[in-house]
Amino acid sequence: MNYNYTTEQLQELDSAHYLHPFTDSKKLSEEGSRIITRADGIYLWDSDGNRYLDAMSGLWCVNVGYGRREIAEAAFEQLQELPYYNSFFKTAHSPAIELSRLVCSLAPAHMNHIFFTSSGSEANDTVVRMARHYWSSKGKPDKKVIISRENAYHGSTMAGASLGGMKPMHAQGGLPIPDIAHIGQPYWFQDGGDLSADAFGEQIASELEQKIQELGEDRIAAFIAEPIQGAGGVVIPPATYWPRIQNICDRHEILLVADEVICGFGRTGKWFGCDYYDIKADLMPIAKGLSSGYLPIGGVLVGDEVADVLINLGGEFNHGFTYSGHPVAAAAAIANLHILMDDGIVDQVGQETGPYLEQAWGKLIDHPLVGETRSAGFLAAIEIVKDKQKRQFFDDRGAVGTICRDVCFANGLVMRAIEDTMVVSPPLIMTKSDIDEMVALVTTCLDQTASQIKN
Ligand code: PXG
């Protein structure tokens, strides 16, 4: 639908009325936004007819790629049958019930309940309330503190942004909210110094133990972390990290929350990041890949121990959203999960295309700008550096990443810059030849970036 506007008219109306997320509106209205008109498979098109390979799956979410009729048809059918009803006040409907069954059947065996939201941020707000309510219901109302990590991303709502470790977000709106604490992140390339990756993984994980001791176990409700930090720069932890974290959580009376908003639904080549790292979490916030972004839906998967307390001791949980378990979003999510299951997409990423990407991506290390390549399933990153040997970034951190990102757009590639870390999170349907095409484009863009910064 183009509503009969020209590109210029759309750009004018956009800057006149539309406040974009995470955007400097003044700058945007000077430059004009890029209007995306349609998408199919792994490609997007803009209003000038330019085609882009979308190596970010939108915002880490279009796992099955664009243009899947099955999802559109499921949503259309549901819109006609029952476009809306809620699950408050002892009512329910089959799309939300069936989606609960299906998601729980894919989740780790000890997770058999789900609370629905419309986004990952709402899922993490739910986590904070649910974790505190859980301890309160067990007679420990002082266990309120949630420990998170620097540079984590858990959403943009008050609790989501507070859990997140992004300083510029905290600076706006008086965050974090009370009883949130942060420890370091397992970002070896940036922070590892002379330590081996494994030694660094152990050391940074032990900050959790120190923080528990500092604050007192009787005040701590939970630790939350993304199995692999996405928006923070595809920070893939050293192999020693998660076993140590799991061990600390097992030895202390605190809940472990794995934020699966990016890692869930096949992104790592397993159904969940917890399967990839063998993590046993108590709560798993999910969103994005649950519906491949076709309609907004998220939720919190709840482990049996927590569910038992909430159900049998918790009484009424005074929490919920108008759109919790929205029937049309649920129908779209069910169709999406069937595509992932029936087409064997998760196994394909785990066994074939993920390892292929790792190999093809790894070759980028030969480029003079690249200080490290890393990948896990269909999450991958490269570090752009001034000095490879010293793992040293350019002085004006982020400037070269921005140049590279712009060069990518000019070459028909959507690749995200997080400071000077270039990241991709491609649609899981990518074939080996799609991967070759993407990596060839990345190489061209790195070459052009290198010649731009020389001049
Ligand atoms: N948790 C994680 C791990 C996320 O990545 C959220 C929660 C919040 O989800 P919602 O649906 O409320 O956005 C996210 C979202 C980026 C970017 O630029 C990343 C996200 C969202 C927007 C932009 O990398 N992740």
Side-chain angles (χ1 to χ4, degrees):
M1 306 256 238
N2 65 16
Y3 304 102
N4 290 325
Y5 293 120
T6 63
T7 299
E8 290 70 28
Q9 285 172 325
L10 284 167
Q11 286 170 329
E12 265 169 40
L13 290 169
D14 184 36
S15 60
H17 303 293
Y18 186 13
L19 294 171
H20 292 222
F22 281 92
T23 296
D24 178 335
S25 297
K26 193 166 171 212
K27 235 188 193 167
L28 180 65
S29 60
E30 284 158 16
E31 290 167 15
S33 47
R34 185 177 284 109
I35 310 292
I36 302 300
T37 50
R38 69 188 176 92
D40 191 33
I42 62 170
Y43 296 104
L44 301 165
W45 282 264
D46 71 15
S47 54
D48 294 326
N50 299 309
R51 191 186 81 164
Y52 305 90
L53 190 162
D54 182 11
M56 280 308 296
S57 306
L59 274 179
W60 324 76
C61 56
V62 187
N63 288 12
V64 299
Y66 299 96
R68 293 300 298 236
R69 286 194 75 85
E70 304 92 313
I71 304 180
E73 280 163 7
F76 182 62
E77 242 175 67
Q78 187 59 46
L79 276 165
Q80 294 172 102
E81 197 174 308
L82 179 71
Y84 175 76
Y85 203 70
N86 65 74
S87 310
F88 289 47
F89 318 130
K90 301 185 188 171
T91 59
H93 43 67
S94 55
I97 295 169
E98 170 59 5
L99 183 60
S100 308
R101 183 199 69 74
L102 192 52
V103 177
C104 291
S105 75
L106 298 169
H110 69 288
M111 296 203 137
N112 292 294
H113 291 83
I114 182 165
F115 188 99
F116 286 117
T117 67
S118 297
S119 69
S121 298
E122 287 177 5
N124 281 320
D125 274 49
T126 302
V127 160
V128 172
R129 299 201 64 206
M130 197 179 260
R132 290 176 179 171
H133 179 53
Y134 163 82
W135 287 113
S136 218
S137 304
K138 284 182 73 154
K140 299 186 177 182
D142 294 335
K143 280 172 81 68
K144 281 196 194 125
V145 176
I146 320 272
I147 301 173
S148 180
R149 305 183 299 182
E150 288 156 14
N151 203 34
Y153 190 80
H154 296 294
S156 255
T157 46
M158 294 294 276
S162 297
L163 291 171
M166 310 251 169
K167 294 270 173 353
M169 292 181 76
H170 292 173
Q172 296 172 343
L175 302 179
I177 57 170
D179 291 324
I180 308 282
H182 293 88
I183 58 171
Q185 57 173 330
Y187 189 0
W188 175 80
F189 187 81
Q190 176 185 272
D191 301 328
D194 294 334
L195 291 178
S196 69
D198 280 352
F200 176 72
E202 289 270 356
Q203 186 196 71
I204 207 80
S206 69
E207 284 191 16
L208 177 58
E209 184 109 52
Q210 288 153 23
K211 190 57 93 179
I212 294 170
Q213 268 149 20
E214 178 193 323
L215 300 175
E217 189 170 338
D218 53 347
R219 287 189 55 215
I220 298 167
F223 171 65
I224 184 169
E226 302 153 74
I228 293 168
Q229 255 164 292
V234 181
V235 177
I236 300 173
T240 49
Y241 182 78
W242 273 110
R244 181 99 175 89
I245 291 284
Q246 180 79 58
N247 176 276
I248 295 168
C249 291
D250 289 348
R251 284 188 290 102
H252 295 282
E253 203 186 37
I254 65 172
L255 299 179
L256 174 53
V257 185
D259 183 336
E260 294 273 3
V261 169
I262 284 179
C263 292
F265 303 101
R267 179 59 51 206
T268 64
K270 300 276 186 185
W271 276 97
F272 294 95
C274 282
D275 302 324
Y276 186 80
Y277 284 117
D278 204 14
I279 301 165
K280 190 167 183 214
D282 296 292
L283 299 171
M284 296 199 323
I286 55 173
K288 296 193 190 271
L290 172 58
S291 65
S292 285
Y294 278 55
L295 283 170
I297 185 164
V300 180
L301 273 157
V302 183
D304 291 342
E305 261 177 65
V306 176
D308 181 47
V309 170
L310 292 177
I311 293 164
N312 295 309
L313 301 175
E316 181 170 336
F317 185 33
N318 300 312
H319 180 79
F321 305 100
T322 303
Y323 302 126
S324 289
H326 191 286
V328 183
I334 291 166
N336 169 63
L337 295 179
H338 279 296
I339 292 171
L340 285 172
M341 290 186 297
D342 299 348
D343 293 0
I345 292 172
V346 180
D347 282 347
Q348 183 180 302
V349 171
Q351 285 155 34
E352 282 177 46
T353 48
Y356 188 82
L357 173 66
E358 185 178 21
Q359 202 195 21
W361 193 259
K363 291 189 186 136
L364 294 168
I365 194 66
D366 295 332
H367 196 279
L369 279 183
V370 176
E372 185 185 69
T373 65
R374 52 179 182 263
S375 76
F378 265 24
L379 281 170
I382 47 186
E383 300 283 10
I384 296 188
V385 290
K386 186 161 107 181
D387 187 321
K388 270 178 191 270
Q389 262 63 47
K390 292 191 193 143
R391 305 208 310 261
Q392 189 184 358
F393 291 102
F394 284 93
D395 299 335
D396 185 6
R397 186 94 180 260
V400 181
T402 306
I403 293 171
C404 185
R405 197 259 330 267
D406 292 346
V407 165
C408 289
F409 267 113
N411 282 279
L413 171 69
V414 182
M415 176 158 70
R416 179 123 151 59
I418 296 162
E419 294 198 313
D420 293 326
T421 311
M422 304 307 299
V423 305
V424 294
S425 171
L428 306 185
I429 51 160
M430 263 199 176
T431 61
K432 291 180 181 172
S433 73
D434 293 333
I435 292 170
D436 289 341
E437 183 186 334
M438 177 178 75
V439 174
L441 268 170
V442 172
T443 308
T444 304
C445 294
L446 286 169
D447 288 343
Q448 290 184 15
T449 303
S451 58
Q452 276 204 22
I453 58 178
K454 246 191 231 149
N455 298 327

